[in-house]
Structure formats: structure tokens, C-alpha cells
Amino acid sequence: MTTPTVSDFLVQRLKEWGVSRIFGFPGDGIGEFDGALGRADRRGDGLDYVRPTHEEVCALMAVAHAKFTGEVGVCVATSSPGAFHLINGLYDAKMDNQPVVAIVGQQGLASLGTFTQQENNLERAFSDVAAYVQTIVSPEQAQAVVDTAFRIAITRLQPTVIVLPHDVQGMAAVDPTPAHWVSRSSSGAPSAAILPPADEIARAAQIINAGQKVTFLVGAGARGATADVIRAAEISGAGIITALRGKDVVPSDVPHHTQQLGLLGSLPSLHQMQRCDTLVLLGTNYPYGEYLPKTGQARAIQVDLKPEHMGLRYPTEVNLWGDVRCTLAALIPLLDQKADLSWQHGIAEEMRGWEREMESQAMLTFDGGANPRRVFHELNKRLPVDAIVTADAGTTADWYGHHIRLRQGMRGDLSGLLATMLASMPYAMAAKFAYPERTVVCTIGDGAFQMLGMNELITLKKYLSGWSNPRFIIVVMHNDDLAQVTWEMRTEDGNPSWPASQDVESVDYAGWAELLGFRAVRLRTDEAVGAALDEAFAHPGVTLIDAYVSKNVPPLPPQITAEYAVNTAKALLKGDPNEFAVIRDSAEALAAEGLSRVKDALHLRRSTDTE
């Protein structure tokens, strides 16, 4: 019988930590570990090994796996070049508080510090992104390093990195015995169900009970506490706003849930923040302080597992370091049932008006392609009950925030604080691997799709046959422009679009999908949107919708500031190459927005007069 190696031990230990799937890319620096994975696979007790086309995709898929399943995501790469490719994805994990463990190869121990091929100081390279990074230098140390990496990833909700030199990978595994400097560790996962002290919870309840206009700002850190959030809001008469990554934490059919806040949020959410007297932050590190209440306007409470995030965005009176679900379960019995629910009812009424406005914006027509809002509006109407939707950084995130409504049981996510381009495809694929029976929809811009998304159609082709429900839809927003950055240049800096940096080379994305044997639909007009989506949802396989959309449709914020208007005017006066189309299309969108708000104001006035 072959003596188990350190790599064999690692494979077994991963399984003990509950890992069933890893995302990896091979190389000689990680070759012995890959060999152990192969041996376990041949024995029938291995791990599901997913190999996409690039190490960065491996890391992003590991992050998405953690987000969609609540498990630890694991990615594997070879020494220096492969390891460095993981870094962007690991920063996504770091900034969105996800437990991810990266296992990276290294040259042999004798090479460390000798400037040989593919030998770099990986501990230094990963020291900022990882909460723990450690090189295994002996078989006796392997157990403690692996267990510590997982324990820290789970408790701190951060990425960790295990560096595995090539010669150590093949050394004989040992069972640590009592000895000086030798740690004997366990694979027992620690509990993260932290409950704050009772007196602090009571203080929070007193503040909420005293409030007349309570607003909950709910983030992804509240996942698993949906029923508790809704119940607490019902008792306290609170309105609910979700951060973009918390969009699926509260179902869209909760009438006083006003969706997101900020540039891609709703006007009812902005009004909640401007008018509330009590703010409760639940599992969120919402970064845009300009949209939060004025200092002194609202008494504030924060609940979070990340103590370094508390009291950071807004002056909070009570900071509850704990799990949102456990904390709310203890808080709810202390809340007084509000008799006056006019604040909550007013929020719900305004949200109904906002939904009418979003529909009006989606029904506008523009030159130069379909209205991108129409694509997302019609997509939202067709999402099945088990849908998982991913969005990319860029204008797809705007349209996702404005038009996608995730009902009970649906999931959705994207790269949050890092907001890296190209994440939508790795996220969508990781979701499909985790839930092969569900319909997955990837929405992505053409710039991001050209980065790595096109390559990942190859990965889809490779693994498609293993999914019980092969329906997988990719919607490429084809406008030949890095549209989000173009609009940011105009609205933030007063600069015109610069084609040298902003133009995206037009590619036949549908043709590329067809080349790989997938269904493809070319969508060029607003009238074709519904039929294109119907065809995609009817097809039991991969469908790519090549959506030729206008690049001049403005991603309007819920409230147009003077700075936004002035900077856009400055950009156009400086000779924006799309000046006339931008003026025409922005004017049409603004006119529709203004008309819709007048109608809603009149509707609200009439309903108030009749009460």
C-alpha cells in the first residue's frame, strides 16, 4: 500500500471540513497535490474538481460558491503566475466578507529566497488580501495550517491562503504526536451564531420602540434571517431597504421593501433615508455615506459580525456585535407593536408609484438599439420561481438594481464592494454547479464579456452534460461601449466620452455561441425583446442573447443633483462624440421620469384626500 503523502492528507482534510467541490487550474508547482486529487477521484472518494479557463475565474467561482451556498469556497492554482491570477478574486472575497481558502503551489523549500524560476515571496504577495497566509514547511505542520486556514476563513469571513511547496506536497504524511513546537489541531468548525449581551439588545429595542419613522437597511450579512427581518419590520412599522448584495434577503413582494439605495436605487429608498428618525443597519457595510441620513437626524443601531464595520458609515448609538438572525430573535420579543403604521403604508404607496415609473422608463424607445431597461424589465417578468440571476459591474448593475425583483426563493448576486468586471460569468457558473436543477441567468456587458466571459462559454460546453437542468441563459448587453465608465466620465468629472478608451470592438457574440453549439438569439429592437427571452426560457440548454442596446440611455439616479446635470452639460460642451444622441435620449428619459412623478404625486394626493 502506498504511503499517504501530505497532499493525500490535505485532500482528506478538505472533505472533513465539508468541502465537496474545488475550482482549480493545474501547473507543475501544484502537481503533487493534483496527483493526490486524481488518486482520490479514481478511488471514488475524491472532490468535484472544476477547471475553468483561467485562475482568476477559479477564485471568483470560489467566492460565488461561498455566497450562494454558505460553505467555504476553495480555489487551487500553481506557483507564482497561477497564484497571482487568484488575487483579484480573493479581494472580492475579502471585500464582500466571504470564507474562501486558496491553496497555491510553490517551488521547493531549497529554492525559497533564491530568485529561481517561478519562486516569489507568496506570503508577502498575499499578506494584504488574506486574513491568514502560511507556507507548510513540514508534514508535522500541515494539519495545523489547514485547520487554522479554515477556522479563520469561517469566523472572520475572509480569504485565507495555504502555500504548498512542491517537495512538501510529496512528503510522507505524519500524525502529529505530543512534542515541543508541534500543534495537534481539529477540523471542528466554530459556531458563528454570536449573540450580543442582553442589556445591549434591550437598549436597541428601546430606541426602535421610541422611533416613529423606522427604517431597516439590510445587507447580505442578514442572509438566513429573512423571516426575522420581516417580522421585526411588521412590529416596528419599519420600511425596508436592501443593499445591492442583500437584494434577495427580503422578497420583492414585501410592499414596504423599496429595493436599493443610491445611484442604482429607488426614490422611495432615498426618501426613507431623508425622513427616517431611526435607522437599523442589519448585516451591511453600505459604503455611500452621502445617501444616509444627516448627522443627528436619526438614532442608529447596527448589527454585524464584523466589529470593524460598526459605527463606521453613520454615528450609531448601539453596536451589536452578533449574528443578525440570533440577534433579531432576541430583539423581537422586546419590540412594541406600532399602532400607527402610516409611515410604512406611505412607503409602500410610494414604492408602487416607483414601479410604475420604472415601467415607463423601460417602455421608452431610443435610436441605436433596444432600450437596455426594456431587456431587464421583460427579463424580470419571466424569471421562474427558482431563478438565480447574476449581474456584472457596469450598467448591468444599474438595470439589475432598477428592474430585477427577486421573489421568495430566487437568488441574485454580484461583486459588491470590489465591483470587479467579468465576475458575472464565474458567479453564474458557480451557481449552476451548486444548484444544477435551477435556471441561471447571467447578465453582462460586452466589455466584461470580452474579458473572460467569452472564454467561459468553453467551460459551459465542457460541463453542461452533468447538470440535471441544463438551462443557462447569458444576456450580453451589446453596445460597443464601456457604458458605465462613459457615463461616469460625463456625470462625475464633466469629461466627454473618449473613444480611444471607451469603444469596445464589436464582436458577433451570438456567432461565437453558435460555434460552440449553443442556441443564440440576436436582439436588435424593443419589439423583439419579449420573444427573445421567451425563446431562451423555452430552450432546455444554453442560450446566449446578443442584445444590441443603445449606449446613450442614461443610468439615471433616483434624484438628479445639480452636480450631475452640470457635469453632463460640461461633458457635452467639450465635444462628446455622442452629444446629440445623449441629449435626445437623456431628455426623453428625464421627461418620462418627470411626467411619471407628477402622475404619482396626483395619485397620492387623491388617495390622501379620500382617507
Side-chain angles (χ1 to χ4, degrees):
M1 180 177 178
T2 305
T3 302
T5 65
V6 169
S7 293
D8 293 316
F9 163 76
L10 252 68
V11 173
Q12 180 58 35
R13 203 63 163 188
L14 292 178
K15 293 170 63 179
E16 291 175 16
W17 275 101
V19 176
S20 59
R21 178 176 298 112
I22 61 176
F23 305 94
F25 204 94
D28 66 323
I30 196 69
E32 284 283 354
F33 179 69
D34 286 343
L37 289 169
R39 288 192 291 275
D41 185 58
R42 288 189 291 274
R43 291 194 306 268
D45 62 351
L47 299 166
D48 183 12
Y49 181 86
V50 177
R51 199 210 75 193
T53 65
H54 195 281
E55 292 94 348
E56 184 174 356
V57 176
C58 293
L60 288 166
M61 290 180 80
V63 178
H65 179 86
K67 287 181 175 181
F68 284 120
T69 67
E71 301 170 356
V72 178
V74 178
C75 53
V76 180
T78 189
S79 51
S80 297
F84 297 150
H85 282 158
L86 296 177
I87 287 178
N88 189 53
L90 294 182
Y91 269 106
D92 190 37
K94 175 186 175 73
M95 297 182 73
D96 280 354
N97 307 309
Q98 296 303 311
V100 171
V101 174
I103 301 172
V104 298
Q106 174 64 289
Q107 300 306 296
L109 290 171
S111 75
L112 299 183
T114 66
F115 315 106
T116 191
Q117 186 182 40
Q118 292 195 347
E119 184 276 321
N120 284 281
N121 190 331
L122 296 182
E123 289 191 6
R124 183 180 298 170
F126 286 106
S127 62
D128 181 65
V129 70
Y132 174 80
V133 52
Q134 184 60 54
T135 301
I136 297 178
V137 297
S138 72
E140 291 82 2
Q141 183 202 18
Q143 184 186 87
V145 170
V146 173
D147 292 342
T148 302
F150 273 87
R151 203 155 14 245
I152 289 176
I154 291 168
T155 55
R156 299 191 189 176
L157 298 174
Q158 291 286 277
T160 60
V161 177
I162 299 168
V163 182
L164 199 54
H166 190 273
D167 48 356
V168 176
Q169 294 171 34
M171 291 179 182
V174 299
D175 187 14
T177 56
H180 192 52
W181 295 331
V182 175
S183 293
R184 290 166 290 158
S185 62
S186 69
S187 56
S191 170
I194 300 172
L195 183 65
D199 60 334
E200 292 295 296
I201 295 174
R203 282 183 61 205
Q206 290 170 1
I207 292 171
I208 295 172
N209 289 337
Q212 299 302 310
K213 299 177 179 179
V214 182
T215 287
F216 290 177
L217 178 54
V218 181
R223 184 159 288 116
T226 297
D228 305 276
V229 171
I230 294 172
R231 180 60 182 148
E234 288 173 346
I235 297 172
S236 60
I240 300 174
I241 300 168
T242 48
L244 191 60
R245 285 209 53 242
K247 190 177 183 73
D248 61 357
V249 173
V250 180
S252 62
D253 55 5
V254 173
H256 44 278
H257 172 201
T258 59
Q259 296 293 312
Q260 284 68 69
L261 175 70
L263 288 174
L264 39 65
S266 71
L267 192 62
S269 291
L270 180 62
H271 286 166
Q272 278 201 70
M273 284 299 174
Q274 292 174 338
R275 300 164 183 169
C276 70
D277 61 19
T278 308
L279 176 62
V280 183
L281 301 154
L282 298 171
T284 180
N285 183 31
Y286 182 80
Y288 303 110
E290 66 270 32
Y291 294 102
L292 297 177
K294 294 179 180 179
T295 302
Q297 171 194 320
R299 302 178 73 182
I301 300 159
Q302 188 162 1
V303 184
D304 210 294
L305 278 172
K306 303 287 288 183
E308 63 270 28
H309 291 168
M310 293 195 290
L312 180 64
R313 306 300 183 195
Y314 186 82
T316 45
E317 201 170 324
V318 176
N319 291 311
L320 300 175
W321 181 11
D323 171 70
V324 173
R325 183 176 182 181
C326 293
T327 304
L328 285 179
L331 178 68
I332 286 171
L334 305 178
L335 297 179
D336 296 336
Q337 177 65 58
K338 285 283 194 303
D340 181 2
L341 297 178
S342 58
W343 165 252
Q344 193 178 74
H345 292 162
I347 289 167
E349 177 64 25
E350 187 181 7
M351 188 59 189
R352 286 189 283 271
W354 177 259
E355 296 291 38
R356 290 190 290 270
E357 180 171 321
M358 287 298 93
E359 183 172 16
S360 296
Q361 290 283 343
M363 293 301 109
L364 296 175
T365 58
F366 302 96
D367 292 337
N371 182 348
R373 289 181 177 273
R374 178 80 65 91
V375 175
F376 278 72
H377 177 75
E378 295 294 338
L379 170 63
N380 180 66
K381 293 196 296 186
R382 290 163 171 80
L383 290 175
V385 293
D386 66 345
I388 301 175
V389 184
T390 66
D392 215 86
T395 52
T396 55
D398 292 279
W399 316 137
Y400 171 80
H402 285 162
H403 295 280
I404 296 299
R405 301 291 179 256
L406 300 173
R407 278 81 77 190
Q408 185 73 42
M410 296 182 183
R411 295 294 307 274
D413 221 324
L414 74 173
S415 174
L417 279 187
L418 184 62
T420 182
M421 289 178 67
L422 70 83
S424 188
M425 272 294 284
Y427 272 39
M429 289 190 301
K432 192 65 174 179
F433 278 108
Y435 304 103
E437 75 284 0
R438 300 179 70 164
T439 296
V440 173
V441 181
C442 167
T443 65
I444 189 167
D446 49 3
F449 195 62
Q450 286 189 12
M451 278 186 165
L452 287 175
M454 294 179 70
N455 289 354
E456 289 317 297
L457 290 184
I458 301 171
T459 306
L460 284 179
K461 183 177 178 64
K462 178 180 180 180
Y463 291 101
L464 180 64
S465 62
W467 295 330
S468 56
N469 170 16
R471 185 176 293 108
F472 190 105
I473 299 169
I474 308 113
V475 182
V476 180
M477 306 303 282
H478 187 163
N479 57 16
D480 303 331
D481 185 66
L482 297 176
Q484 183 77 357
V485 181
T486 295
W487 279 100
E488 288 169 344
M489 289 175 69
R490 292 175 181 136
T491 62
E492 294 180 12
D493 305 313
N495 286 318
S497 175
W498 183 32
S501 71
Q502 297 309 109
D503 283 1
V504 174
E505 183 66 23
S506 189
V507 172
D508 183 7
Y509 304 112
W512 171 233
E514 289 168 337
L515 182 65
L516 291 170
F518 299 143
R519 177 75 59 88
V521 182
R522 293 167 177 83
L523 187 166
R524 299 180 186 274
T525 66
D526 293 311
E527 294 73 23
V529 171
L533 289 165
D534 287 339
E535 182 176 347
F537 280 106
H539 177 57
V542 176
T543 303
L544 184 142
I545 297 177
D546 194 352
Y548 291 79
V549 296
S550 172
K551 63 183 177 181
N552 298 314
V553 178
L556 294 173
Q559 185 170 358
I560 307 299
T561 64
E563 181 184 23
Y564 184 103
V566 169
N567 283 340
T568 303
K570 285 180 180 177
L572 300 179
L573 290 172
K574 291 175 183 177
D576 194 288
N578 301 297
E579 174 183 356
F580 296 109
V582 169
I583 292 173
R584 180 191 63 241
D585 295 345
S586 295
E588 187 169 355
L590 283 167
E593 180 179 287
L595 179 60
S596 176
R597 291 185 185 171
V598 168
K599 289 180 178 177
D600 288 329
L602 290 171
H603 177 75
L604 185 59
R605 172 73 176 274
R606 291 192 190 101
S607 63
T608 303
D609 290 344
T610 58
E611 288 179 354

